[in-house]
Amino acid sequence: MAPLRSSAITQGVQRSPNRAMLRAVGFGDGDFSKPIIGIANGYSTITPCNVGLNDLALRAEAAAQAAGGMPQLFGTITVSDGISMGTEGMKYSLVSREVIADAIETACNGQSMDGVLAIGGCDKNMPAAMLAMARMNIPGVFVYGGTIKPGKLGGCDLTVVSAFEAVGQLSSGKIDEAQLTAVEKNACPGAGSCGGMFTANTMSAAIETMGLSLPFSSTMAAEDPEKADSAARSAEVLVEAIAANIRPLDLLTREAFENAISVIMAVGGSTNAVLHLLAIARTAGVPLSIDDFETIRQRVPVICDLKPSGRFVTVDLHNAGGIPQVMKLLLDGGLLHGDCRTVEGKTLRELLADVPSVPPSDQEVIRPLSNPLYAKGHLAVLKGNLASEGAVAKISGVKTPVLTGPARVFESEEQCLQAILANQVHAGDVVVVRNEGPVGGPGMREMLAPTAAIVGEGLGDKVALITDGRFSGGTYGLVVGHVAPEAAVGGMIGLVQEGDSITVDAQQQLLQLNVDAAELERRKQAWVKPEPLYRTGVLGKYARLVSSSSKGAVTDQP
């Protein structure tokens, strides 16, 4: 085995003071030659997504020590997307991805750790851990905190999105306040990340596919005993990976990213995966563009019937065979690179050898490739004069993938939601929410509250919504996010006026402002760059540093 990185703080006479401090936190004479393993613990009582993580961290700590490592726990922050949704606090959500990645990198590199086991639950925890691992390139493994189990009401499965949609149902008179309260009280029954194929479960599936978390771990329920067992096994695997010198950049290849995109298409995952995978690939030095998602979409069908637009939740997917079953179908169909390696040192083909080639017959969650929900993937990349760098549309469950209508222009999410709840948005409208991009927001807020309200009012198939912000993984309908360039940097979305004709065409991958070139040029010349909403603090710093969403909205670009 190569010399341990931690020898910089543990070996030699000159490191006697360093060892003195390490002895105070539990090191003994025989421990200074063991690999030091950082356990990045995202535990928090802020959100149900992270409330169970400390138990997993303690299991991993004990397992790492028993396997011959010296674990050191440290904390990372989180922001709850579901709780901050629809508020100014949501501007900190995407920002937290960078903060968490910076924190993990800082702790691990500052303390010369030999490997890192990162534990996360809420949406940004996952890509943040991957960004940190790619930056440092020390052996690493990710442990997902697990999905929440579905809430139950009247024989129906509930998720947190059910509560957002119930708000729209109340405003349109479809339910009363007592029914809204019943949904609220039953939607989130315990610990775990939001239960559909929303962003957290999408990114955990992507990480499992790319080989940096263990098989089946991305769909386990947070409260089931197998989740803690998987955390312990992950620590053992990390100790083995340090000995074998298996590093993240060995696994994060171009083919691995293509596999992740294929699985995300197959399971009907979140639009946020586009943003996060672009960011991770850029950090890993892997060429990947927004156009690659469209290329893969054209050949990979949606084969999983999962919420938000489908019927089932992530625990149902787990019981049907989880991500390995999905990967095996794709592998047999020539849609997965089987030679990609995993943190266990195996190839995907080896890993999937004992997984059945046909999904279980007693379930309806995973379909065979011959009978998909949709013949093509659900995340379409649209371009046109409104999005010259691209935009991302989630078109699963959309009955009307083409809409030309008048623009209803809003300068913030709050303005938009107020109009929807006041029944001022009508069938055929194209709702434009701008100045919510990485720079303009800043922070690219998610628009779950407006889209859920639209669905709740029965307009999900009749209205399009476009934004330079993001959408929650719980969003569905004809929605187009990540419009780039964004309004705050002079993008065309900032030039749209109330009543302008806009075409959203998911079939032709077109996002077009139907205004003549001379008029657009006149508006461009008259455009004035808006003053930044924040000049100091983390949001001010973020707005100055962040890249376009088409490049992953990263803050450490060279």
Side-chain angles (χ1 to χ4, degrees):
M1 187 172 74
L4 294 173
R5 190 168 82 139
S6 59
S7 63
I9 62 170
T10 61
Q11 302 302 311
V13 173
Q14 72 275 24
R15 296 306 178 210
S16 180
N18 311 60
R19 291 192 295 273
M21 296 193 73
L22 289 170
R23 289 178 188 278
V25 295
F27 279 64
D29 289 344
D31 296 329
F32 296 109
S33 60
K34 297 176 181 178
I36 295 179
I37 294 171
I39 298 180
N41 183 4
Y43 167 70
S44 168
T45 58
I46 287 176
T47 170
C49 308
N50 291 47
V51 73
L53 300 191
N54 201 51
D55 293 339
L56 303 184
L58 295 176
R59 278 293 301 274
E61 179 186 39
Q65 194 148 22
M70 281 304 292
Q72 293 192 306
L73 266 71
F74 62 92
T76 67
I77 61 112
T78 196
V79 170
S80 170
D81 289 14
I83 296 172
S84 65
M85 195 75 70
T87 74
E88 195 76 358
M90 186 63 194
K91 293 182 176 180
Y92 289 85
S93 170
L94 184 59
V95 176
S96 75
R97 184 188 75 180
E98 311 304 302
V99 175
I100 296 165
D102 291 350
I104 295 174
E105 177 190 355
T106 300
C108 291
N109 281 349
Q111 300 303 124
S112 301
M113 294 175 179
D114 298 298
V116 61
L117 183 148
I119 308 176
C122 201
D123 294 3
K124 308 309 170 295
N125 300 180
M126 278 70 77
M130 297 295 283
L131 287 172
M133 290 181 194
R135 290 177 190 176
M136 299 183 296
N137 199 31
I138 61 174
V141 67
F142 181 75
V143 173
Y144 180 41
T147 183
I148 196 171
K149 293 181 179 180
K152 301 287 185 179
L153 184 65
C156 296
D157 285 347
L158 299 182
T159 69
V160 68
V161 175
S162 307
F164 281 99
E165 291 177 0
V167 173
Q169 292 168 342
L170 177 68
S171 71
S172 62
K174 294 182 177 180
I175 62 172
D176 58 26
E177 288 194 25
Q179 291 170 297
L180 173 65
T181 300
V183 173
E184 174 189 325
K185 289 183 175 181
N186 289 279
C188 300
S193 299
C194 300
M197 190 46 67
F198 310 149
T199 303
N201 287 321
T202 299
M203 288 310 300
S204 67
I207 294 170
E208 179 179 329
T209 302
M210 291 192 289
L212 277 157
S213 62
L214 298 193
F216 301 99
S217 65
S218 68
T219 53
M220 293 175 179
E223 297 179 334
D224 284 351
E226 65 176 347
K227 173 47 66 178
D229 294 341
S230 178
R233 177 57 188 153
S234 297
E236 296 167 354
V237 167
L238 178 56
V239 173
E240 295 165 4
I242 293 171
N245 198 29
I246 298 173
R247 296 173 181 259
L249 296 188
D250 299 331
L251 311 180
L252 295 174
T253 61
R254 164 75 186 201
E255 291 75 18
F257 281 97
E258 290 182 357
N259 285 347
I261 296 169
S262 295
V263 166
I264 288 164
M265 294 295 177
V267 299
S270 167
T271 56
N272 285 310
V274 178
L275 191 76
H276 297 322
L277 289 179
L278 287 172
I280 298 164
R282 190 213 64 83
T283 301
V286 173
L288 190 73
S289 77
I290 195 170
D291 296 325
D292 292 317
F293 288 80
E294 181 61 33
T295 299
I296 294 173
R297 180 182 87 86
Q298 292 292 333
R299 64 175 183 254
V300 178
V302 179
I303 58 172
C304 295
D305 190 2
L306 295 166
K307 291 180 182 292
S309 61
R311 294 180 292 162
F312 300 102
V313 294
T314 303
V315 291
D316 299 319
L317 173 62
H318 187 65
N319 293 333
I323 296 305
Q325 181 64 80
V326 175
M327 287 196 290
K328 183 59 175 280
L329 298 181
L330 296 177
L331 180 66
D332 288 350
L335 299 172
L336 201 76
H337 301 288
D339 293 333
C340 289
R341 294 173 61 208
T342 71
V343 69
E344 294 180 280
K346 301 176 182 177
T347 66
L348 283 182
R349 184 172 282 104
E350 291 170 337
L351 193 100
L352 300 173
D354 296 330
V355 176
S357 292
V358 178
S361 59
D362 60 348
Q363 56 82 44
E364 298 180 353
V365 185
I366 306 173
R367 295 190 180 190
L369 290 175
S370 59
N371 182 32
L373 265 75
Y374 307 101
K376 294 181 180 180
H378 64 300
L379 299 180
V381 174
L382 309 189
K383 291 190 175 181
N385 66 356
L386 257 180
S388 58
E389 293 179 14
V392 182
K394 187 176 186 180
I395 58 176
S396 52
V398 174
K399 297 175 183 176
T400 310
V402 181
L403 179 65
T404 296
R408 297 297 317 282
V409 181
F410 302 97
E411 302 299 337
S412 69
E413 177 187 0
E414 288 85 354
Q415 288 183 11
C416 177
L417 182 61
Q418 185 178 8
I420 294 167
L421 295 179
N423 299 310
Q424 294 171 0
V425 171
H426 307 293
D429 286 346
V430 178
V431 177
V432 178
V433 185
R434 64 190 181 195
N435 293 308
E436 292 284 5
V439 174
M444 238 183 146
R445 286 193 292 182
E446 292 181 349
M447 304 290 142
L448 178 57
T451 57
I454 287 171
V455 170
E457 292 199 0
L459 295 172
D461 293 321
K462 304 176 181 70
V463 170
L465 194 154
I466 68 173
T467 181
D468 50 8
R470 295 182 295 133
F471 290 110
S472 164
T475 292
Y476 63 101
L478 187 55
V479 295
V480 185
H482 309 193
V483 172
E486 62 173 295
V489 300
M492 191 69 74
I493 191 173
L495 306 183
V496 179
Q497 295 182 0
E498 185 80 9
D500 282 349
S501 171
I502 292 177
T503 296
V504 181
D505 189 335
Q507 294 176 338
Q508 300 298 320
Q509 293 91 54
L510 179 67
L511 187 60
Q512 189 76 13
L513 176 59
N514 302 313
V515 175
D516 69 74
E519 171 61 16
L520 290 178
E521 184 60 30
R522 186 193 66 76
R523 294 182 190 179
K524 190 180 299 184
Q525 294 302 319
W527 180 78
V528 177
K529 184 177 178 65
E531 289 294 314
L533 296 177
Y534 296 85
R535 294 185 180 275
T536 59
V538 67
L539 291 183
K541 179 168 61 175
Y542 182 85
R544 289 191 297 273
L545 294 175
V546 69
S547 71
S548 167
S549 60
S550 67
K551 298 180 180 178
V554 295
T555 57
D556 63 341
Q557 52 189 332

mmCIF file of all heavy atoms in Angstrom, residues 486-519:
data_model
loop_
_atom_site.group_PDB
_atom_site.id
_atom_site.type_symbol
_atom_site.label_atom_id
_atom_site.label_comp_id
_atom_site.label_asym_id
_atom_site.label_seq_id
_atom_site.Cartn_x
_atom_site.Cartn_y
_atom_site.Cartn_z
ATOM 1 N N GLU A 486 -29.546 33.686 -18.270
ATOM 2 C CA GLU A 486 -30.602 34.151 -17.385
ATOM 3 C C GLU A 486 -30.856 35.644 -17.568
ATOM 4 O O GLU A 486 -30.069 36.377 -18.175
ATOM 5 C CB GLU A 486 -30.236 33.857 -15.934
ATOM 6 C CG GLU A 486 -28.970 34.558 -15.448
ATOM 7 C CD GLU A 486 -28.741 34.380 -13.948
ATOM 8 O OE1 GLU A 486 -29.591 34.890 -13.171
ATOM 9 O OE2 GLU A 486 -27.739 33.746 -13.567
ATOM 10 N N ALA A 487 -31.967 36.115 -17.003
ATOM 11 C CA ALA A 487 -32.377 37.514 -17.167
ATOM 12 C C ALA A 487 -31.341 38.480 -16.615
ATOM 13 O O ALA A 487 -31.070 39.534 -17.215
ATOM 14 C CB ALA A 487 -33.727 37.735 -16.483
ATOM 15 N N ALA A 488 -30.731 38.146 -15.486
ATOM 16 C CA ALA A 488 -29.844 39.091 -14.804
ATOM 17 C C ALA A 488 -28.562 39.383 -15.560
ATOM 18 O O ALA A 488 -27.881 40.375 -15.274
ATOM 19 C CB ALA A 488 -29.504 38.576 -13.406
ATOM 20 N N VAL A 489 -28.213 38.542 -16.529
ATOM 21 C CA VAL A 489 -26.990 38.781 -17.311
ATOM 22 C C VAL A 489 -27.316 39.174 -18.746
ATOM 23 O O VAL A 489 -26.440 39.152 -19.614
ATOM 24 C CB VAL A 489 -26.049 37.553 -17.282
ATOM 25 C CG1 VAL A 489 -25.640 37.231 -15.856
ATOM 26 C CG2 VAL A 489 -26.699 36.343 -17.942
ATOM 27 N N GLY A 490 -28.569 39.534 -18.989
ATOM 28 C CA GLY A 490 -28.948 39.996 -20.326
ATOM 29 C C GLY A 490 -29.579 38.953 -21.206
ATOM 30 O O GLY A 490 -29.725 39.173 -22.415
ATOM 31 N N GLY A 491 -29.969 37.821 -20.649
ATOM 32 C CA GLY A 491 -30.603 36.778 -21.437
ATOM 33 C C GLY A 491 -31.949 37.227 -21.996
ATOM 34 O O GLY A 491 -32.611 38.123 -21.458
ATOM 35 N N MET A 492 -32.376 36.555 -23.047
ATOM 36 C CA MET A 492 -33.600 36.944 -23.754
ATOM 37 C C MET A 492 -34.832 36.870 -22.852
ATOM 38 O O MET A 492 -35.792 37.619 -23.052
ATOM 39 C CB MET A 492 -33.793 36.050 -24.977
ATOM 40 C CG MET A 492 -34.866 36.517 -25.931
ATOM 41 S SD MET A 492 -34.418 38.031 -26.799
ATOM 42 C CE MET A 492 -33.193 37.372 -27.966
ATOM 43 N N ILE A 493 -34.817 35.992 -21.851
ATOM 44 C CA ILE A 493 -35.963 35.891 -20.961
ATOM 45 C C ILE A 493 -36.231 37.213 -20.248
ATOM 46 O O ILE A 493 -37.363 37.524 -19.876
ATOM 47 C CB ILE A 493 -35.774 34.729 -19.946
ATOM 48 C CG1 ILE A 493 -37.092 34.444 -19.204
ATOM 49 C CG2 ILE A 493 -34.622 35.001 -18.998
ATOM 50 C CD1 ILE A 493 -37.031 33.216 -18.310
ATOM 51 N N GLY A 494 -35.184 38.030 -20.091
ATOM 52 C CA GLY A 494 -35.338 39.337 -19.468
ATOM 53 C C GLY A 494 -35.986 40.372 -20.372
ATOM 54 O O GLY A 494 -36.352 41.462 -19.914
ATOM 55 N N LEU A 495 -36.133 40.050 -21.661
ATOM 56 C CA LEU A 495 -36.712 40.991 -22.620
ATOM 57 C C LEU A 495 -38.174 40.692 -22.927
ATOM 58 O O LEU A 495 -38.827 41.441 -23.662
ATOM 59 C CB LEU A 495 -35.907 40.961 -23.928
ATOM 60 C CG LEU A 495 -34.394 41.201 -23.815
ATOM 61 C CD1 LEU A 495 -33.765 41.224 -25.198
ATOM 62 C CD2 LEU A 495 -34.087 42.485 -23.067
ATOM 63 N N VAL A 496 -38.701 39.601 -22.392
ATOM 64 C CA VAL A 496 -40.093 39.238 -22.651
ATOM 65 C C VAL A 496 -41.028 40.263 -22.019
ATOM 66 O O VAL A 496 -40.812 40.717 -20.892
ATOM 67 C CB VAL A 496 -40.407 37.839 -22.094
ATOM 68 C CG1 VAL A 496 -41.869 37.473 -22.334
ATOM 69 C CG2 VAL A 496 -39.493 36.793 -22.717
ATOM 70 N N GLN A 497 -42.067 40.628 -22.753
ATOM 71 C CA GLN A 497 -43.068 41.552 -22.234
ATOM 72 C C GLN A 497 -44.417 40.860 -22.126
ATOM 73 O O GLN A 497 -44.702 39.886 -22.835
ATOM 74 C CB GLN A 497 -43.174 42.790 -23.139
ATOM 75 C CG GLN A 497 -41.912 43.643 -23.162
ATOM 76 C CD GLN A 497 -42.047 44.891 -24.012
ATOM 77 O OE1 GLN A 497 -43.083 45.151 -24.608
ATOM 78 N NE2 GLN A 497 -40.979 45.693 -24.050
ATOM 79 N N GLU A 498 -45.255 41.354 -21.224
ATOM 80 C CA GLU A 498 -46.584 40.803 -21.006
ATOM 81 C C GLU A 498 -47.340 40.705 -22.335
ATOM 82 O O GLU A 498 -47.411 41.666 -23.099
ATOM 83 C CB GLU A 498 -47.364 41.675 -20.027
ATOM 84 C CG GLU A 498 -48.715 41.135 -19.620
ATOM 85 C CD GLU A 498 -48.629 40.061 -18.529
ATOM 86 O OE1 GLU A 498 -47.529 39.857 -17.974
ATOM 87 O OE2 GLU A 498 -49.662 39.429 -18.252
ATOM 88 N N GLY A 499 -47.870 39.519 -22.615
ATOM 89 C CA GLY A 499 -48.660 39.318 -23.815
ATOM 90 C C GLY A 499 -47.886 38.844 -25.027
ATOM 91 O O GLY A 499 -48.502 38.448 -26.031
ATOM 92 N N ASP A 500 -46.567 38.867 -24.985
ATOM 93 C CA ASP A 500 -45.764 38.340 -26.096
ATOM 94 C C ASP A 500 -46.139 36.886 -26.362
ATOM 95 O O ASP A 500 -46.420 36.118 -25.434
ATOM 96 C CB ASP A 500 -44.263 38.394 -25.778
ATOM 97 C CG ASP A 500 -43.657 39.783 -25.923
ATOM 98 O OD1 ASP A 500 -44.327 40.676 -26.463
ATOM 99 O OD2 ASP A 500 -42.502 39.954 -25.487
ATOM 100 N N SER A 501 -46.074 36.474 -27.631
ATOM 101 C CA SER A 501 -46.320 35.079 -27.981
ATOM 102 C C SER A 501 -45.052 34.256 -27.755
ATOM 103 O O SER A 501 -43.965 34.624 -28.225
ATOM 104 C CB SER A 501 -46.744 34.975 -29.448
ATOM 105 O OG SER A 501 -46.795 33.614 -29.856
ATOM 106 N N ILE A 502 -45.209 33.143 -27.031
ATOM 107 C CA ILE A 502 -44.089 32.231 -26.757
ATOM 108 C C ILE A 502 -44.506 30.830 -27.157
ATOM 109 O O ILE A 502 -45.629 30.399 -26.874
ATOM 110 C CB ILE A 502 -43.691 32.262 -25.271
ATOM 111 C CG1 ILE A 502 -43.086 33.615 -24.902
ATOM 112 C CG2 ILE A 502 -42.698 31.137 -24.949
ATOM 113 C CD1 ILE A 502 -42.731 33.735 -23.425
ATOM 114 N N THR A 503 -43.591 30.119 -27.812
ATOM 115 C CA THR A 503 -43.813 28.720 -28.160
ATOM 116 C C THR A 503 -42.923 27.821 -27.315
ATOM 117 O O THR A 503 -41.696 28.014 -27.261
ATOM 118 C CB THR A 503 -43.524 28.469 -29.650
ATOM 119 O OG1 THR A 503 -44.460 29.210 -30.443
ATOM 120 C CG2 THR A 503 -43.641 26.989 -29.994
ATOM 121 N N VAL A 504 -43.541 26.866 -26.638
ATOM 122 C CA VAL A 504 -42.829 25.813 -25.925
ATOM 123 C C VAL A 504 -43.149 24.513 -26.657
ATOM 124 O O VAL A 504 -44.298 24.076 -26.682
ATOM 125 C CB VAL A 504 -43.272 25.722 -24.455
ATOM 126 C CG1 VAL A 504 -42.480 24.630 -23.734
ATOM 127 C CG2 VAL A 504 -43.100 27.052 -23.748
ATOM 128 N N ASP A 505 -42.143 23.929 -27.292
ATOM 129 C CA ASP A 505 -42.355 22.732 -28.105
ATOM 130 C C ASP A 505 -41.367 21.656 -27.674
ATOM 131 O O ASP A 505 -40.203 21.646 -28.097
ATOM 132 C CB ASP A 505 -42.172 23.066 -29.599
ATOM 133 C CG ASP A 505 -42.588 21.912 -30.513
ATOM 134 O OD1 ASP A 505 -42.563 20.760 -30.047
ATOM 135 O OD2 ASP A 505 -42.897 22.169 -31.691
ATOM 136 N N ALA A 506 -41.831 20.753 -26.794
ATOM 137 C CA ALA A 506 -40.956 19.701 -26.283
ATOM 138 C C ALA A 506 -40.642 18.662 -27.350
ATOM 139 O O ALA A 506 -39.629 17.960 -27.257
ATOM 140 C CB ALA A 506 -41.597 19.025 -25.078
ATOM 141 N N GLN A 507 -41.486 18.561 -28.373
ATOM 142 C CA GLN A 507 -41.240 17.596 -29.444
ATOM 143 C C GLN A 507 -40.101 18.048 -30.356
ATOM 144 O O GLN A 507 -39.280 17.245 -30.792
ATOM 145 C CB GLN A 507 -42.524 17.383 -30.249
ATOM 146 C CG GLN A 507 -43.638 16.710 -29.455
ATOM 147 C CD GLN A 507 -44.928 16.598 -30.224
ATOM 148 O OE1 GLN A 507 -45.166 17.342 -31.171
ATOM 149 N NE2 GLN A 507 -45.784 15.669 -29.814
ATOM 150 N N GLN A 508 -40.061 19.338 -30.657
ATOM 151 C CA GLN A 508 -39.010 19.886 -31.513
ATOM 152 C C GLN A 508 -37.863 20.500 -30.709
ATOM 153 O O GLN A 508 -36.971 21.115 -31.283
ATOM 154 C CB GLN A 508 -39.605 20.954 -32.448
ATOM 155 C CG GLN A 508 -40.696 20.438 -33.372
ATOM 156 C CD GLN A 508 -40.188 19.373 -34.313
ATOM 157 O OE1 GLN A 508 -39.073 19.464 -34.847
ATOM 158 N NE2 GLN A 508 -41.004 18.324 -34.522
ATOM 159 N N GLN A 509 -37.925 20.359 -29.391
ATOM 160 C CA GLN A 509 -36.915 20.912 -28.478
ATOM 161 C C GLN A 509 -36.719 22.414 -28.709
ATOM 162 O O GLN A 509 -35.595 22.917 -28.818
ATOM 163 C CB GLN A 509 -35.554 20.190 -28.611
ATOM 164 C CG GLN A 509 -35.573 18.745 -28.157
ATOM 165 C CD GLN A 509 -35.895 17.792 -29.284
ATOM 166 O OE1 GLN A 509 -35.242 17.808 -30.316
ATOM 167 N NE2 GLN A 509 -36.906 16.964 -29.115
ATOM 168 N N LEU A 510 -37.837 23.147 -28.751
ATOM 169 C CA LEU A 510 -37.815 24.565 -29.111
ATOM 170 C C LEU A 510 -38.418 25.415 -27.995
ATOM 171 O O LEU A 510 -39.478 25.097 -27.457
ATOM 172 C CB LEU A 510 -38.612 24.790 -30.403
ATOM 173 C CG LEU A 510 -38.700 26.234 -30.914
ATOM 174 C CD1 LEU A 510 -37.324 26.717 -31.370
ATOM 175 C CD2 LEU A 510 -39.709 26.325 -32.057
ATOM 176 N N LEU A 511 -37.726 26.513 -27.681
ATOM 177 C CA LEU A 511 -38.236 27.525 -26.766
ATOM 178 C C LEU A 511 -38.045 28.878 -27.446
ATOM 179 O O LEU A 511 -36.934 29.398 -27.513
ATOM 180 C CB LEU A 511 -37.496 27.473 -25.422
ATOM 181 C CG LEU A 511 -38.032 28.375 -24.310
ATOM 182 C CD1 LEU A 511 -39.474 28.031 -23.979
ATOM 183 C CD2 LEU A 511 -37.154 28.274 -23.074
ATOM 184 N N GLN A 512 -39.137 29.434 -27.949
ATOM 185 C CA GLN A 512 -39.040 30.554 -28.887
ATOM 186 C C GLN A 512 -39.929 31.714 -28.461
ATOM 187 O O GLN A 512 -41.105 31.536 -28.128
ATOM 188 C CB GLN A 512 -39.471 30.089 -30.292
ATOM 189 C CG GLN A 512 -39.216 31.078 -31.401
ATOM 190 C CD GLN A 512 -37.746 31.135 -31.820
ATOM 191 O OE1 GLN A 512 -36.954 30.261 -31.439
ATOM 192 N NE2 GLN A 512 -37.378 32.141 -32.576
ATOM 193 N N LEU A 513 -39.343 32.910 -28.489
ATOM 194 C CA LEU A 513 -40.094 34.152 -28.308
ATOM 195 C C LEU A 513 -40.468 34.663 -29.688
ATOM 196 O O LEU A 513 -39.597 34.995 -30.499
ATOM 197 C CB LEU A 513 -39.240 35.176 -27.556
ATOM 198 C CG LEU A 513 -39.827 36.581 -27.358
ATOM 199 C CD1 LEU A 513 -41.132 36.523 -26.587
ATOM 200 C CD2 LEU A 513 -38.811 37.477 -26.649
ATOM 201 N N ASN A 514 -41.768 34.708 -29.974
ATOM 202 C CA ASN A 514 -42.245 35.036 -31.320
ATOM 203 C C ASN A 514 -42.407 36.552 -31.492
ATOM 204 O O ASN A 514 -43.517 37.073 -31.641
ATOM 205 C CB ASN A 514 -43.567 34.310 -31.589
ATOM 206 C CG ASN A 514 -43.432 32.810 -31.446
ATOM 207 O OD1 ASN A 514 -42.497 32.200 -31.971
ATOM 208 N ND2 ASN A 514 -44.359 32.193 -30.708
ATOM 209 N N VAL A 515 -41.289 37.230 -31.453
ATOM 210 C CA VAL A 515 -41.228 38.685 -31.628
ATOM 211 C C VAL A 515 -40.176 38.966 -32.686
ATOM 212 O O VAL A 515 -39.112 38.322 -32.687
ATOM 213 C CB VAL A 515 -40.876 39.388 -30.303
ATOM 214 C CG1 VAL A 515 -40.680 40.891 -30.510
ATOM 215 C CG2 VAL A 515 -41.968 39.139 -29.261
ATOM 216 N N ASP A 516 -40.443 39.916 -33.596
ATOM 217 C CA ASP A 516 -39.526 40.125 -34.717
ATOM 218 C C ASP A 516 -38.180 40.654 -34.240
ATOM 219 O O ASP A 516 -38.060 41.278 -33.170
ATOM 220 C CB ASP A 516 -40.135 41.046 -35.777
ATOM 221 C CG ASP A 516 -40.282 42.486 -35.312
ATOM 222 O OD1 ASP A 516 -39.266 43.185 -35.219
ATOM 223 O OD2 ASP A 516 -41.429 42.899 -35.033
ATOM 224 N N ALA A 517 -37.162 40.390 -35.048
ATOM 225 C CA ALA A 517 -35.774 40.671 -34.679
ATOM 226 C C ALA A 517 -35.535 42.143 -34.386
ATOM 227 O O ALA A 517 -34.775 42.494 -33.465
ATOM 228 C CB ALA A 517 -34.833 40.181 -35.784
ATOM 229 N N ALA A 518 -36.166 43.038 -35.159
ATOM 230 C CA ALA A 518 -35.957 44.472 -34.952
ATOM 231 C C ALA A 518 -36.457 44.909 -33.578
ATOM 232 O O ALA A 518 -35.803 45.700 -32.875
ATOM 233 C CB ALA A 518 -36.661 45.257 -36.063
ATOM 234 N N GLU A 519 -37.627 44.394 -33.184
ATOM 235 C CA GLU A 519 -38.176 44.741 -31.870
ATOM 236 C C GLU A 519 -37.310 44.174 -30.752
ATOM 237 O O GLU A 519 -37.074 44.842 -29.728
ATOM 238 C CB GLU A 519 -39.601 44.220 -31.743
ATOM 239 C CG GLU A 519 -40.218 44.333 -30.359
ATOM 240 C CD GLU A 519 -40.329 45.763 -29.837
ATOM 241 O OE1 GLU A 519 -40.218 46.719 -30.641
ATOM 242 O OE2 GLU A 519 -40.527 45.930 -28.612
#
